[in-house]
Amino acid sequence: MKLSRRLRDSLAGRLPAAPVLVVTGILWFGGAVWNFQGEVTTLESAALPVVTFVLTGGFSIGVVFVGYRLSQSQFTPEQRWSIVGWTVGGLGITVLLHTATLAIRAAEGRPIGEPQFPLLVAGGVGALAGYGIGELLVDVRRSAARAERARDGMAFTNSLLRHDVRNALQVILGQVDVLTAVDDERTNEAANRIEGQVDSLREVTENAEAVTGVLTGEATPEPRNVVEDIETSVATVSESFPDATVETALHDELVVRGTDALRPVFANILDNAIEHTGSEPTVRVTTETADDVARVRFADDGRGIPEARRSRIFERGVTTDGGSNGLGLHIVSTLVERSDGSIYVEDSDLGGAAFVVELPIAE
């Protein structure tokens, strides 16, 4: 294994890969010409030899074409040699298999006839199939590498931002302490507001950490009291929207399997319910259980969502208000699914829409 890898790396650095396929195709085309000449001299009619030549020659030209295509591709030399290996391997395997079948027939004493035609066809098909498999595998590996780099970049950026934001918030809180030491009502009021905003920003960084952990696969579902997450989200939203009425009918405790990202999920659903309703909206949050599943329902008194659109609102780029930046509900759906749950929309008993989050109850 080490020797073959070393040889492949050496070839990748010194020899171009694409000409190997071009030469292979030309040699295979030569075999097609040789077979055509033999059939023309032995058969009275030229119709069938022409058909066989078109078939075998067509596959040979196909191999030449994929060699040219490989030379114009954006693959690295190592990736090109990998594709060449699959192409030549496909050709060799199909030829060997067909040769084995002919050998068995010969051992059985059966007539074989002229084996070159099926061998040429089998080899051409195997080469093109091998090329397709090789290119597909290289593309899959490249996509996986890009996804891994994106995930690592997102995790690093999240960590860096959280570190810098928390340091900045700590400095701000130090200045707040200085302001509170001043015996002035307006100064103290401003200091309290700044402190409240600092707490909100700290919560934002914690939510970002939770969401990033789920999206990068670092966080896994574990038992948690979902009622605490709901109550925290309701308190935050009620403070941000004083004109909104948020009613709750919750269990005293409801332990489900989920992640820390459930808290920003609930807050996002509440925000959407309030922002897309009237000036004085009413949202009712309830919990219920059935068949080892916990359901959290967010019902509003807005305009609702037409049934024809409900199956698409969680898709990327789709919004409930016809906008073009529909990442919110798409990310919400992704976070819920990675918490082993599901989310859907139904009619609300308040006259609007109801978003229902289902989560498995923890044992």
Side-chain angles (χ1 to χ4, degrees):
M1 175 66 70
K2 292 182 179 179
L3 180 60
S4 62
R5 181 175 298 177
R6 189 178 304 167
L7 178 60
R8 183 189 64 188
D9 293 342
S10 177
L11 290 173
R14 297 181 182 180
L15 298 176
V20 174
L21 297 187
V22 175
V23 172
T24 301
I26 293 174
L27 292 176
W28 219 248
F29 186 79
V33 172
W34 170 72
N35 178 69
F36 173 71
Q37 291 175 341
E39 290 190 342
V40 167
T41 58
T42 56
L43 297 176
E44 295 180 358
S45 174
L48 290 178
V50 170
V51 172
T52 59
F53 177 72
V54 169
L55 188 60
T56 55
F59 286 125
S60 305
I61 294 174
V63 176
V64 174
F65 171 75
V66 297
Y68 170 77
R69 173 179 172 176
L70 186 63
S71 68
Q72 302 300 312
S73 68
Q74 300 297 321
F75 296 127
T76 65
E78 183 178 354
Q79 292 169 341
R80 293 181 181 182
W81 275 110
S82 177
I83 296 174
V84 168
W86 277 97
T87 306
V88 176
L91 185 151
I93 290 174
T94 52
V95 169
L96 287 176
L97 289 176
H98 197 72
T99 302
T101 61
L102 294 176
I104 293 173
R105 291 179 65 88
E108 294 173 345
R110 299 182 182 182
I112 295 177
E114 297 179 354
Q116 61 271 18
F117 171 62
L119 282 174
L120 287 170
V121 173
V125 172
L128 294 178
Y131 178 88
I133 294 173
E135 185 173 309
L136 177 62
L137 289 176
V138 168
D139 280 334
V140 169
R141 290 168 184 162
R142 290 202 308 179
S143 298
R146 284 195 297 266
E148 186 174 0
R149 288 194 298 269
R151 184 193 65 184
D152 294 342
M154 181 170 62
F156 174 77
T157 303
N158 174 67
S159 176
L160 181 64
L161 288 177
R162 286 189 291 106
H163 176 269
D164 291 346
V165 169
R166 285 174 177 172
N167 285 345
L169 293 180
Q170 199 63 35
V171 173
I172 294 173
L173 286 178
Q175 300 303 310
V176 169
D177 292 338
V178 174
L179 292 176
T180 54
V182 178
D183 188 13
D184 181 79
E185 183 178 352
R186 293 183 61 185
T187 302
N188 291 334
E189 183 179 352
N192 291 333
R193 290 181 178 178
I194 294 174
E195 189 172 6
Q197 291 300 312
V198 168
D199 292 337
S200 298
L201 288 174
R202 184 180 288 114
E203 183 178 352
V204 168
T205 61
E206 293 174 354
N207 290 342
E209 180 180 9
V211 170
T212 303
V214 174
L215 294 179
T216 57
E218 297 177 356
T220 56
E222 58 184 15
R224 60 184 300 109
N225 183 11
V226 75
V227 174
E228 295 180 356
D229 294 326
I230 298 172
E231 290 176 341
T232 300
S233 300
V234 169
T236 301
V237 170
S238 298
E239 184 177 351
S240 301
F241 302 94
D243 294 333
T245 300
V246 182
E247 304 172 353
T248 58
L250 310 175
H251 286 69
D252 293 334
E253 183 180 66
L254 185 56
V255 180
V256 304
R257 287 189 56 79
T259 64
D260 291 340
L262 287 178
R263 189 181 299 114
V265 161
F266 295 149
N268 187 281
I269 296 175
L270 278 171
D271 282 342
N272 283 341
I274 293 174
E275 291 178 355
H276 297 98
T277 315
S279 58
E280 296 181 356
T282 298
V283 180
R284 182 177 298 156
V285 187
T286 59
T287 58
E288 61 183 49
T289 58
D291 300 328
D292 297 329
V293 174
R295 293 188 181 91
V296 184
R297 179 176 282 100
F298 300 84
D300 61 55
D301 61 348
R303 295 173 297 177
I305 300 175
E307 189 171 354
R309 296 183 56 200
R310 293 176 186 175
S311 61
R312 297 190 62 248
I313 62 173
F314 297 107
E315 296 178 5
R316 189 180 188 91
V318 178
T319 64
T320 55
D321 57 358
S324 59
N325 297 317
L327 292 177
L329 289 179
H330 173 70
I331 293 180
V332 163
S333 176
T334 301
L335 295 175
V336 172
E337 289 174 359
R338 296 191 183 182
S339 293
D340 295 337
S342 60
I343 183 172
Y344 57 90
V345 184
E346 61 184 16
D347 291 328
S348 166
D349 52 0
L350 297 178
F355 284 77
V356 183
V357 178
E358 292 189 348
L359 297 163
I361 296 177
E363 297 180 0

